[in-house]
Amino acid sequence: MQIRDLPYSDPGVPDARSGPRFLLWLGRNQLGGQLKSLAWGLLHFGSIAGLPYMVGVAVEAVLDRSGGRLALAGALIVVLGIAIALGDTMLHRTAVTNWITAAARVQQLLARKTALLGSALTRRVAAGEVVAVSTGDVEKIGWFVEALSRFAAAALTVVLVTIGLVVYQPALGVVVAVGIPVLAIAVLPLLPRATRRADFQREKAGRATELASDTVAGLRVLRGIGGEELFLDRYRRASQEVRTAAVRSARMWAAISAIQVLMPGLLMIAVVWHGVHLAREGRITVGELVTVYSAVMMLNYPLRHFEEIAMAYSFSRPSAKRAARVLSLERTSPTGKQTADETDGSTESPDVSAEHTSAVSAGDLSTVPTGDLYDPATGLLAPAGRFTAVVCGDPDAAGRLAERLGGHPAFDDAADLPSVRLGDVPLDALPLAAARTAVLVQDKDPVLLSGTLSTLLDVPSSGAVSATEALAAAQCSDVLDALAQASVDDDPMAAHLTERGRSLSGGQRQRLALARSLVTDPEALVLDEPTSAVDSHTEARVADGIRKLRQGRTTVVLTSSPLILDRAERVVFLDDGEVIAVGEHRELVHSEPRYRTVVTRETDDERVSVNTLTDLDIEETA
């Protein structure tokens, strides 16, 4: 895999059972790149290891006054120098390629999982945690993948050089053979503490990132209530905690680096001291002493990669664990599938067609089902082709219901509730692409990405609804006028929207998001409080626009606005997770007290008063 080939056509299915398993899976998927890097690393480190021998040969040639051997040694040193340069260049190239491709694979996996889970992701994992995993953690995982092949080449070189020294000069080689393992394991006792400090630093950094993202998201509100300084102080404290944790972590790694410098120095002193005594006794030549000394000095370079791999693994292991945690999340709980008993107990929706389910499970989008949208858990039925309004006594319950209708149930609900059906097929039985083609959910806090308005509205759609029609139905004329003034050529479609549409008011953002949803023209459209931030006059026009544009298409609006409810063809009232009443708005206002309480914001005293007057009217009539 080369960088120019990114992104992957298919990043694969990761082994997310644990952090180490995930790292192992990444390594197996990059075996070719790792072997290339290992080969170039062996050339690089092997050439470095060959220099001491050539230096020893050159010294012996000078002592023996042999010009031919000296010339040969010089030529071989030049060849080794070229091999070192070539090996180092290609090692860096292949190692960085491994880093970037591994990071790209992890980012693609995280992006795919984010798209799969949708809003359910942030219910299980904090937004700041997701940002930290997709940025800092990806970099650390890539670092370990990159360092792995370099470490393998360095380790093989150290082993081969040590064996070569034992064979070449046993008296000094044995000293090196005993000292090298000590150097390799000297820092192991410090690694657990260094890892804990690195984990603590990363945890503090994640909290600071989450606090910063929350502060930026609510900056307008904070300014309105004068809370900027309060949150700024909180971020200052969080930032100082990150700094303190980083300093403590850096101190530990500095101690490890000091040991990596000290121990080879002690080994060098021991080799020189013992070698000088051997040379005085005539047991070794000066050239052999120079060769062994140079070899030990050269070993310091590959030995440094032992420290690097220890640091890389210590940082990447918790990062891989967090990434694996996100990647292991599923769209629905395995026990949340609809069972046979549950389908048999349903009277409003027909049994699942096995043939149809098999077809859509195979990913054939042309077989996306149509029909009524039915939720067995609540008894909610939204007839195909009609405008249905749903009133919930609990706003949070309305949000959860909207997600269920889109095939994204909350994880705490998924284990006990059957799947929502579209026609005769459960949404859980559909591939994700097919489910989202069939049912689109717009939540109460939609996100507008930065870019031009034309880019915002350039979304996958049926093509039946144009951007102009959608903007008109969503009553976006004032938004277009404002954007035209901000555009260079007075073209509102070319006007640039800032991140999350923060340059617009809440009502303007809400209506643009509604227009984007209308453009897609899904089989079933679910809107959760689509007009909560607009005035009553605009709300009434938006309701008319939705009903006209979505004529003959299934539309479900979760709202308690009388203006929208009065324009709905069918109103369903839910209380405590069950359908209580179905009818038209004006009928339910008079016949269902609980419905009237939610819709008219009636207090308990007012409800008692109304009920009393109603009873008196009945008695007088009698």
Side-chain angles (χ1 to χ4, degrees):
M1 185 69 182
Q2 299 297 320
I3 296 176
R4 63 174 175 269
D5 300 323
L6 295 175
Y8 291 94
S9 57
D10 180 14
V13 180
D15 185 348
R17 289 176 290 177
S18 66
R21 287 179 182 272
F22 180 60
L23 291 175
L24 180 61
W25 177 83
L26 276 178
R28 287 201 307 266
N29 278 272
Q30 290 193 305
L31 189 58
Q34 293 291 341
L35 291 177
K36 286 182 182 179
S37 187
L38 176 61
W40 289 114
L42 287 175
L43 175 63
H44 175 60
F45 291 119
S47 300
I48 292 176
L51 282 178
Y53 180 72
M54 289 297 101
V55 171
V57 171
V59 171
E60 291 289 346
V62 172
L63 293 177
D64 296 341
R65 300 182 181 278
S66 173
R69 287 166 55 196
L70 181 61
L72 177 62
L76 291 176
I77 289 175
V78 171
V79 171
L80 289 175
I82 295 174
I84 291 172
L86 177 63
D88 188 30
T89 301
M90 297 307 298
L91 172 61
H92 179 74
R93 178 186 178 92
T94 53
V96 170
T97 298
N98 290 336
W99 182 342
I100 294 176
T101 51
R105 186 187 296 273
V106 177
Q107 285 180 327
Q108 278 189 252
L109 290 170
L110 290 170
R112 185 172 67 176
K113 181 61 67 172
T114 301
L116 176 70
L117 296 176
S119 60
L121 175 62
T122 53
R123 193 179 299 111
R124 297 295 301 276
V125 183
E129 183 79 1
V130 175
V131 172
V133 170
S134 59
T135 53
D137 284 338
V138 167
E139 289 295 315
K140 292 179 177 65
I141 293 171
W143 177 28
F144 174 74
V145 172
E146 180 234 1
L148 187 60
S149 54
R150 280 208 309 268
F151 165 72
L156 284 174
T157 302
V158 169
V159 171
L160 292 175
V161 170
T162 302
I163 295 174
L165 288 177
V166 172
V167 174
Y168 175 72
Q169 180 45 253
L172 288 177
V174 170
V175 177
V176 177
V178 172
I180 290 297
V182 174
L183 296 183
I185 65 174
V187 298
L188 291 182
L190 298 179
L191 287 180
R193 180 178 296 180
T195 301
R196 288 194 297 271
R197 290 190 179 185
D199 288 347
F200 183 73
Q201 175 196 350
R202 194 261 169 209
E203 179 184 351
K204 291 293 184 181
R207 291 179 181 175
T209 301
E210 183 177 353
L211 178 61
S213 62
D214 289 344
T215 302
V216 171
L219 189 58
R220 177 173 294 186
V221 176
L222 292 177
R223 286 174 175 170
I225 63 175
E228 300 148 282
E229 287 300 323
L230 174 63
F231 275 79
L232 183 60
D233 289 340
R234 290 182 182 177
Y235 183 75
R236 284 197 185 104
R237 289 195 297 269
S239 179
Q240 288 302 313
E241 290 177 358
V242 174
R243 184 192 65 80
T244 302
V247 170
R248 294 184 71 247
S249 178
R251 285 174 180 168
M252 184 56 64
W253 289 110
I256 292 175
S257 297
I259 292 175
Q260 289 287 305
V261 173
L262 175 64
M263 297 302 289
L266 295 177
L267 177 62
M268 184 73 69
I269 293 173
V271 168
V272 172
W273 180 80
H274 186 53
V276 169
H277 282 281
L278 293 177
R280 284 180 178 177
E281 295 173 1
R283 296 169 58 184
I284 64 172
T285 65
V286 174
E288 291 174 336
L289 176 59
V290 171
T291 298
V292 175
Y293 169 80
S294 301
V296 173
M297 185 173 64
M298 291 295 184
L299 282 178
N300 286 338
Y301 175 56
L303 281 172
R304 285 296 183 91
H305 291 80
F306 284 68
E307 176 193 355
E308 182 189 16
I309 196 64
M311 292 180 65
Y313 181 73
S314 298
F315 280 103
S316 66
R317 183 182 58 81
S319 295
K321 180 180 178 181
R322 286 184 288 267
R325 178 192 170 203
V326 175
L327 295 174
S328 64
L329 299 176
E330 297 296 336
R331 179 183 172 196
T332 54
S333 171
T335 58
K337 303 296 183 184
Q338 195 167 3
T339 64
D341 293 339
E342 288 165 343
T343 57
D344 291 340
S346 172
T347 57
E348 276 201 72
S349 184
D351 291 336
V352 176
S353 167
E355 180 180 354
H356 199 170
T357 301
S358 176
V360 296
S361 295
D364 184 5
L365 295 184
S366 64
T367 61
V368 171
T370 60
D372 299 342
L373 188 63
Y374 174 67
D375 179 20
T378 60
L380 171 64
L381 176 67
R386 298 186 66 186
F387 183 3
T388 302
V390 180
V391 178
C392 293
D394 181 5
D396 293 333
R400 292 192 296 269
L401 176 60
E403 292 181 357
R404 277 185 50 75
L405 293 176
H408 304 286
F411 281 84
D412 52 356
D413 294 339
D416 302 323
L417 301 180
S419 172
V420 170
R421 295 183 181 186
L422 181 62
D424 59 351
V425 178
L427 290 183
D428 283 353
L430 288 169
L432 182 62
R436 290 185 173 174
T437 299
V439 183
L440 174 67
V441 177
Q442 177 181 304
D443 61 26
K444 64 180 64 177
D445 187 23
V447 175
L448 301 183
L449 302 180
S450 60
T452 63
L453 180 57
S454 61
T455 303
L456 175 71
L457 300 177
D458 184 16
V459 293
S461 64
S462 67
V465 178
S466 67
T468 302
E469 292 173 327
L471 289 168
Q475 303 301 312
C476 294
S477 58
D478 63 318
V479 185
L480 296 177
D481 292 340
L483 292 176
Q485 294 177 3
S487 177
V488 176
D489 53 359
D490 295 331
D491 182 8
M493 301 302 290
H496 186 80
L497 301 176
T498 58
E499 182 186 2
R500 291 180 175 267
R502 290 195 175 98
S503 58
L504 305 173
S505 67
Q508 290 174 329
R509 288 196 301 269
Q510 199 172 55
R511 282 176 284 155
L512 284 182
L514 175 60
R516 179 179 58 186
S517 299
L518 293 174
V519 165
T520 61
D521 189 39
E523 178 65 28
L525 176 62
V526 179
L527 304 172
D528 184 10
E529 295 289 356
T531 58
S532 59
V534 301
D535 59 80
S536 58
H537 297 289
T538 305
E539 188 175 35
R541 294 196 299 269
V542 168
D544 290 333
I546 294 174
R547 178 168 179 170
K548 180 179 178 181
L549 190 64
R550 293 285 300 172
Q551 186 71 35
R553 306 290 270 172
T554 306
T555 306
V556 180
V557 180
L558 288 92
T559 183
S560 60
S561 167
L563 293 171
I564 297 180
L565 295 171
D566 192 42
R567 287 161 174 78
E569 299 173 77
R570 190 169 185 265
V571 177
V572 180
F573 176 55
L574 279 77
D575 190 29
D576 198 21
E578 295 182 358
V579 173
I580 301 301
V582 179
E584 293 185 352
H585 168 62
R586 296 172 187 254
E587 171 191 344
L588 293 177
V589 167
H590 292 90
S591 63
E592 179 53 58
R594 286 173 293 181
Y595 175 84
R596 183 173 61 248
T597 299
V598 174
V599 172
T600 64
R601 280 69 170 178
E602 191 177 65
T603 65
D604 292 339
D605 292 339
E606 290 172 337
R607 183 170 66 251
V608 171
S609 175
V610 170
N611 291 337
T612 301
L613 291 174
T614 302
D615 293 339
L616 290 175
D617 290 340
I618 294 174
E619 291 177 2
E620 290 177 0
T621 303

